[in-house]
Amino acid sequence: MQMINAAAVSIFDFAFRPFLKLSPWAGLAAAALLTAVFMLFIFRWTSNQAGVKAAKNRIKAHLLEMRLYKEQPAVIFRAQGRILLANLKYMGHNMRPLAVMIIPLVFILAHLNTRFGYEALETGEPFLIKVLTAETTALPSAMDLRLDVPEGVVVETPPVRIDDEREVVWRLKAGKPGKSAITVRAGSASIEKSLAAGVSPLSGIFPRKMRKSILDQFLYPGDPPLDRASPVRRVEIAYPAARMNLFGWNMHWIIPYFVLSLIFGFALKGPFKVEI
Amino acid sequence: MKRREFIHIGMGAAAALAAGDIPALAAGKPGKAGRRPKTLVIGIDGLDPHLTQVWMKQGRLPALQKLVASGGMRRLGTSLPPQSPVAWSDFIAGMGPGGHGIYDFIHRDPQTYMPIFSATETQGGGRTFRLGKYVFPLSGGQVVNMRDGRAFWQVLEDHGVPAVIVRMPSNYPPVPTRQRTFSGMGTPDIKGSYGIFNYYTNAYRELDREAGGGGRVHEVYVIGNRVEASIPGPVNTFLKDAPEARADFRVFIDRDHPVAKIAVQGQEFILKEKEWSGWIRVNFDLIPTQSVSGICRFYLKELRPKFKLYVSPVHIDPARPALPLSTPPSYARELSDQFGSFFTKGLPADTSALENGVLDETEFLEQDEDILRESLELFEYELNRFNEGLFFYYFSNADQRQHMFWRFLDRNHPSYDPDLAERYHDVIADTYVQMDRAVDTALRKADKDTVVMVMSDHGFNPFRRGFNLNSWLLDSGYHRLTDSRKRAETSLFMDTDWSRTQAYGVGLNSLYINEKGREREGTVAPGADKDRLIREIADRLESIVDPATGERPILRAYVSRDVYTGKHLDSAPDIVVGFNQGYRIAWESPLGGFPEEVLTDNREKWSGDHMSSPEVIPGILAMNRPIPAEAPKLKDVTVSILDLYGIGPDEDMTGRSVFHKE
């Protein structure tokens, strides 16, 4: 999983490179377009296209039947039942492409979230770094936990150690823009956590470094995972949440992403000869 | 451009050209309606002419010096009484209190004798519909601006002159206009009050001082290095019994280090001891679909040995204003997008926290410096896009700091402390220097056609001795208590025998006769009886001598019928008490208290004030144009601004242009 994530990060880095200095809308539109093409492609090759077409035609035919025979309740009642049946068939034809798409789509969404879900830290603005220790280790206040920070990053406060939450948190400030790494030292263990300040979010913002587990690596790609034996179970930087702004209306990126994907999907289904 | 406007401008231009007065036209000479001048007005609350002149002579205020050298400076006659809401109302409406109806910070309801805020009235929703514990209003409530008379920027708007009015006092809620305006002094906190701070501590103590707001002390316990508490918000009228909405927060304290993490509604931040947070947004949930958003700042005063956490009054969030802050409403959000969160409460410096010792002098100044920084950022932002019409900007810092730090200028002040004075004696001078820098910024931006005015609503003087008006009325037989043994404990006229009372004091300068037909239990017949009583009380007030100083505490007792005109004369106090230099109303009197002593030393930190007779504390008017009028008043500045655009005063305005000799 680690290798897949690393490869995916490289691909996304490459894909978004032309958009780094543009509005996030440009990158989001490109991502939605590629997603639409990808979904059409999957749908085209995994669905029963003839069956989809037949189910849709049957629905249309029964709708027409209802209009033509609106004075005959028995016919309308029968047509409604058949529409329902055709709908179920149509949904059944969608199951296979959906099953094929769901895992890659969630994988893509998790990666896109690292490009659109967070803002990079602003230089000069304080931020928190939080370390959660493993249940098997000593309490945080009894541990030797330290931070090594790169040039330009300042640790502003001593750690706040919250034993019952197994949490240690510091306030830092990034003095200059760029990507770098903070090293958390826990006894003899040394853990690197990426840091992004004053850069385009499209270059990838990775808020959490998680333990090695399939689900966590799936949901939080970017930083290499922590060993299972590590005294630390999570390192987290509190990046501000990003919002897409549309004429003053701020929204989560996933809303315009899905809307654009649908628009592109319907627009391209003709040229791609896909029945959906 | 409107047809009338076109003709107006065209005629003005033709007249100027015919008279060969082209330079005057370009410079926007008063009375000419030619090319519109730009006018920049900087309102500095409480800028005192005497101190200004002293520090100008010392070369500490070079920008003001430059401004005055290019035009002139006059002492500016303040309002009667010289309280900020009254004074700025005079300026806004170009008329006196009889016209705009604001006579004091505090008015009274003659039916209940209870004090009420003069500037606004909250009108609740009408009928409600109840469903279980929920109460749904069937019509909305509203906050009403009680000031009457049209604001000068409304008049400018009628004539097509754009204006930007930022933080104008006595303009809450902002009056309807298409001009960009943002409300100032009088804008409440999220609870609808003048500003209530919260103080969380395990060293509980009562707050005993009211000074420009209030506060609440919450006793908390540190359990397992953790404190759990909540911030009180607005009253939740959607629930039966209208409880306070609250926003919970937790403080996690490090075992050894003087540092803590604070978690509020999903936001986390770390503070070291003696450190301020930035603005933190807090949401007060009312019902599942309704919440109110506010902003506040945390100050971690001490972690050990005692836990002490100060939370500022919760300001209305400019990003999601629960109450009207601006015109158009989108202006507040625009500024929030530009600057993030910023203070919105009318007088943001927490004088009450300093007065009660919750914040010390340094902590108070740290807070006020942040306020000034935010204020200057907004000032420069608007200044940079100011390219036509009028721009007004208001600063509150000089007023608030003079109230609290005057004791360090005045060795004769009862609360003078030589050690503290050594540290803080320059605070007021430094504040004047900071104001001078703002003027300098303005002058650098202003071109030769821009009229730049610096004005203040009043000056300042020491508040050494307090005069208990109600105690004096009681001792003189004009006021009666049901049981005079209770006089020291009573407040809000709880023990007054109204059936035998002839006069009472409410507010900071106001004295009312208990008039038959006006007051609920009036005893004095209107007409000759009342007039005789008013003259008698006024004469006696003016003849009082303070045995401790040999001075007269009251310079003049103004009979309102002699000094006010306008349609709101009926709601005026009957006598306005004009104090002598060094004197002010004592702390207990404005809200109906009766301490034993009539005259007392003021040993509070609130040590400078401006409740005097207007001639004692004029304000200031400095301008880069000559000021022919020798004794201008606040309401004259209003008319002068209109005059710059060739606009005559509105029919109710009583001011006269300062550009014409009296």
Side-chain angles (χ1 to χ4, degrees):
Chain A
M1 189 67 203
Q2 190 181 339
M3 286 173 63
I4 297 171
N5 265 342
V9 168
S10 300
I11 291 167
F12 277 98
D13 280 349
F14 178 76
F16 281 116
R17 193 166 297 155
F19 300 97
L20 291 180
K21 292 187 175 168
L22 303 177
S23 156
W25 281 98
L28 191 76
L33 178 63
L34 289 173
T35 308
V37 170
F38 168 73
M39 288 196 294
L40 285 172
F41 179 79
I42 300 273
F43 204 88
R44 173 78 179 80
W45 294 106
T46 59
S47 66
N48 176 355
Q49 289 283 286
V52 169
K53 189 169 187 177
K56 283 170 63 181
N57 284 342
R58 189 160 285 278
I59 292 167
K60 282 180 201 164
H62 289 306
L63 285 171
L64 189 61
E65 186 183 10
M66 285 170 65
R67 287 194 66 183
L68 289 172
Y69 298 100
K70 57 186 172 190
E71 282 86 19
Q72 299 181 36
V75 174
I76 288 175
F77 187 69
R78 192 172 57 235
Q80 282 175 338
R82 286 175 176 166
I83 287 171
L84 187 65
L85 202 65
N87 252 319
L88 289 171
K89 273 188 179 171
Y90 176 76
M91 286 165 67
H93 289 308
N94 282 327
M95 282 298 138
R96 193 163 58 184
L98 198 64
V100 174
M101 267 191 288
I102 189 82
I103 291 177
L105 193 60
V106 173
F107 180 79
I108 290 169
L109 289 178
H111 275 271
L112 289 178
N113 196 44
T114 66
R115 313 279 162 167
F116 297 103
Y118 303 95
E119 300 282 2
L121 301 167
E122 281 190 36
T123 52
E125 287 295 312
F127 65 95
L128 302 188
I129 183 166
K130 190 187 289 184
V131 173
L132 296 182
T133 62
E135 289 81 357
T136 50
T137 60
L139 290 173
S141 59
M143 286 177 73
D144 178 23
L145 278 165
R146 283 169 290 123
L147 293 182
D148 282 351
V149 293
E151 192 192 335
V153 176
V154 179
V155 183
E156 290 195 323
T157 65
V160 181
R161 295 159 298 176
I162 308 165
D163 284 343
D164 50 359
E165 310 268 335
R166 291 203 162 264
E167 176 185 311
V168 185
V169 56
W170 290 262
R171 192 180 73 207
L172 294 86
K173 189 183 278 183
K176 59 181 187 182
K179 286 200 162 187
S180 55
I182 294 171
T183 305
V184 180
R185 299 206 184 279
S188 58
S190 172
I191 298 141
E192 277 210 343
K193 173 73 196 80
S194 65
L195 176 71
V199 297
S200 166
L202 288 180
S203 64
I205 307 287
F206 309 120
R208 287 183 178 186
K209 186 181 182 84
M210 307 293 286
R211 259 193 183 161
K212 200 177 263 179
S213 89
I214 293 288
L215 184 63
D216 281 344
Q217 285 184 76
F218 201 78
L219 295 177
Y220 298 101
D223 283 320
L226 293 157
D227 281 340
R228 284 181 188 281
S230 170
V232 169
R233 64 186 160 94
R234 191 205 301 174
V235 184
E236 183 177 338
I237 290 177
Y239 289 101
R243 285 284 181 273
M244 301 295 290
N245 186 295
L246 183 68
F247 305 121
W249 184 37
N250 291 318
M251 66 191 107
H252 194 276
W253 68 272
I254 211 155
I255 296 170
Y257 169 75
F258 271 126
V259 170
L260 287 171
S261 298
L262 284 173
I263 291 169
F264 287 133
F266 278 101
L268 294 174
K269 69 176 181 137
F272 279 71
K273 296 187 171 51
V274 183
E275 195 69 52
I276 52 174
Chain B
M1 186 183 289
K2 292 175 189 167
R3 183 172 164 271
R4 190 178 60 176
E5 200 181 319
F6 175 77
I7 293 169
H8 200 57
I9 291 169
M11 286 172 68
L17 286 168
D21 197 4
I22 294 170
L25 185 65
K29 191 175 174 183
K32 304 288 181 187
R35 182 176 152 191
R36 284 173 179 159
K38 289 195 290 179
T39 308
L40 171 55
V41 185
I42 301 173
I44 302 176
D45 205 307
L47 196 76
D48 182 75
H50 174 70
L51 293 181
T52 302
Q53 279 169 331
V54 168
W55 289 324
M56 273 170 70
K57 274 182 193 162
Q58 291 175 5
R60 297 180 78 173
L61 310 176
L64 269 168
Q65 188 77 56
K66 185 177 163 191
L67 178 72
V68 173
S70 62
M73 181 163 78
R74 296 280 186 202
R75 294 191 169 213
L76 185 61
T78 184
S79 58
L80 174 69
Q83 300 180 31
S84 293
V86 186
W88 290 106
S89 294
D90 275 19
F91 171 56
I92 291 170
M95 59 181 77
H100 55 67
I102 307 293
Y103 292 97
D104 199 304
F105 264 106
I106 299 165
H107 288 172
R108 87 333 179 183
D109 177 351
Q111 291 311 301
T112 62
Y113 300 97
M114 286 295 103
I116 51 175
F117 285 131
S118 62
T120 56
E121 183 181 275
T122 303
Q123 297 173 346
R127 293 193 312 169
T128 56
F129 163 70
R130 268 183 64 175
L131 188 65
K133 65 177 181 177
Y134 295 108
V135 180
F136 298 98
L138 297 174
S139 60
Q142 60 174 342
V143 185
V144 180
N145 187 331
M146 299 302 285
R147 178 178 44 72
D148 201 359
R150 303 194 71 220
F152 65 83
W153 56 92
Q154 290 178 305
V155 179
L156 290 174
E157 182 183 352
D158 292 345
H159 293 79
V161 179
V164 177
I165 309 289
V166 183
R167 300 198 188 282
M168 175 67 82
S170 299
N171 187 42
Y172 179 80
V175 290
T177 175
R178 289 194 304 276
Q179 314 269 31
R180 268 202 320 272
T181 70
F182 196 90
S183 62
M185 181 198 301
T187 308
D189 67 1
I190 202 80
K191 292 180 69 64
S193 78
Y194 274 156
I196 296 176
F197 68 81
N198 290 287
Y199 184 51
Y200 302 85
T201 182
N202 50 8
Y204 184 82
R205 65 182 186 82
E206 297 281 348
L207 299 180
D208 50 3
R209 301 280 181 265
E210 287 284 336
R216 279 164 69 169
V217 181
H218 306 260
E219 187 167 25
V220 295
Y221 302 95
V222 182
I223 300 171
N225 289 324
R226 183 187 294 219
V227 173
E228 298 194 356
S230 60
I231 302 169
V235 163
N236 186 354
T237 52
F238 286 103
L239 290 181
K240 191 182 149 196
D241 300 331
E244 266 180 338
R246 300 184 87 87
D248 296 335
F249 68 92
R250 289 183 298 168
V251 184
F252 301 92
I253 304 166
D254 187 74
R255 196 184 62 177
D256 305 313
H257 305 122
V259 64
K261 183 182 91 167
I262 300 176
V264 191
Q265 299 179 331
Q267 305 158 89
E268 295 184 336
F269 53 97
I270 291 180
L271 292 179
K272 293 188 276 190
E273 257 184 6
K274 307 277 180 205
E275 210 173 39
W276 290 88
S277 75
W279 288 106
I280 304 297
R281 181 165 286 133
V282 284
N283 284 305
F284 298 97
D285 293 328
L286 305 179
I287 51 174
T289 57
Q290 294 287 325
S291 69
V292 171
S293 179
I295 53 170
C296 58
R297 295 184 67 198
F298 289 69
Y299 176 69
L300 190 55
K301 191 175 171 76
E302 186 179 306
L303 281 172
R304 294 184 188 87
K306 292 295 180 186
F307 178 83
K308 295 175 183 174
L309 175 70
Y310 162 88
V311 179
S312 73
V314 182
H315 293 223
I316 297 169
D317 183 356
R320 286 179 56 199
L323 292 165
L325 290 176
S326 66
T327 60
S330 60
Y331 182 43
R333 291 193 293 276
E334 177 202 327
L335 295 177
S336 173
D337 288 344
Q338 178 68 27
F339 297 105
S341 295
F342 59 90
F343 76 87
T344 58
K345 189 173 82 69
L347 288 173
D350 201 341
T351 49
S352 184
L354 174 57
E355 186 63 57
N356 284 287
V358 169
L359 297 178
D360 65 23
E361 282 76 7
T362 299
E363 292 160 344
F364 172 84
L365 284 173
E366 284 170 357
Q367 185 189 43
D368 202 44
E369 280 296 312
D370 285 341
I371 288 161
L372 180 56
R373 178 183 47 76
E374 283 182 7
S375 202
L376 288 168
E377 282 172 6
L378 178 50
F379 175 60
E380 287 182 35
Y381 172 73
E382 284 298 350
L383 198 58
N384 284 332
R385 58 179 189 168
F386 168 53
N387 50 26
E388 60 174 340
L390 177 129
F391 173 36
F392 171 90
Y393 198 91
Y394 164 88
F395 291 97
S396 63
N397 310 75
D399 177 83
Q400 299 291 280
R401 293 186 195 177
Q402 286 178 104
H403 276 303
M404 305 311 291
F405 288 82
W406 196 278
R407 60 200 151 116
F408 304 125
L409 283 185
D410 179 8
R411 287 176 186 276
N412 297 322
H413 199 283
S415 51
Y416 177 79
D417 177 324
D419 295 334
L420 287 174
E422 198 166 317
R423 289 176 65 189
Y424 299 112
H425 74 279
D426 256 349
V427 165
I428 293 174
D430 290 345
T431 307
Y432 275 56
V433 170
Q434 287 171 314
M435 294 296 105
D436 189 70
R437 287 198 198 113
V439 175
D440 183 58
T441 307
L443 291 178
R444 287 175 194 279
K445 171 70 181 171
D447 56 30
K448 64 180 173 56
D449 294 341
T450 305
V451 178
V452 180
M453 292 185 196
V454 174
M455 60 174 291
S456 65
D457 53 338
H458 51 71
F460 252 81
N461 81 146
F463 167 25
R464 297 187 193 115
R465 299 270 289 164
F467 176 76
N468 276 304
L469 177 60
N470 279 314
S471 296
W472 180 83
L473 287 171
L474 184 68
D475 292 348
S476 306
Y478 298 115
H479 200 102
R480 302 283 184 170
L481 296 178
T482 50
D483 182 351
S484 57
R485 289 169 300 180
K486 288 184 182 172
R487 68 177 286 175
E489 297 102 66
T490 195
S491 66
L492 295 171
F493 303 115
M494 278 186 306
D495 298 294
T496 291
D497 178 356
W498 290 109
S499 65
R500 295 191 300 142
T501 287
Q502 290 181 298
Y504 60 104
V506 173
L508 302 167
N509 294 86
S510 303
L511 186 152
Y512 297 89
I513 299 298
N514 190 21
E515 181 185 322
K516 270 184 191 164
R518 186 180 70 175
E519 266 77 3
R520 188 188 64 211
E521 294 178 63
T523 58
V524 181
D529 281 359
K530 183 183 165 192
D531 291 345
R532 181 199 49 75
L533 182 64
I534 288 173
R535 299 287 168 196
E536 177 186 311
I537 292 175
D539 289 346
R540 288 187 65 182
L541 282 170
E542 286 182 2
S543 64
I544 294 169
V545 175
D546 181 355
T549 63
E551 292 176 6
R552 285 168 49 212
I554 293 158
L555 198 60
R556 289 185 66 187
Y558 298 90
V559 176
S560 63
R561 293 208 167 271
D562 296 345
V563 289
Y564 292 140
T565 54
K567 57 185 172 183
H568 291 282
L569 204 53
D570 287 347
S571 58
D574 296 299
I575 295 174
V576 180
V577 181
F579 291 98
N580 203 347
Q581 191 160 43
Y583 289 86
R584 203 205 77 168
I585 194 96
W587 291 102
E588 295 86 350
S589 192
L591 298 180
F594 299 87
E596 296 286 351
E597 291 181 83
V598 171
L599 284 153
T600 51
D601 276 344
N602 172 36
R603 300 191 177 280
E604 307 299 329
K605 293 172 187 167
W606 184 286
S607 48
D609 220 305
H610 47 81
M611 302 300 153
S612 320
S613 208
E615 60 263 41
V616 175
I617 46 164
I620 198 169
L621 176 65
M623 205 188 316
N624 60 352
R625 297 288 187 275
I627 309 171
E630 287 172 5
K633 295 185 174 67
L634 275 164
K635 59 187 180 180
D636 299 336
V637 182
T638 326
V639 174
S640 311
I641 289 170
L642 298 178
D643 192 18
L644 283 168
Y645 297 92
I647 302 168
D650 227 32
E651 60 178 329
D652 293 334
M653 290 182 176
T654 52
R656 293 192 300 181
S657 174
V658 303
F659 299 115
H660 307 292
K661 256 194 179 304
E662 287 146 1

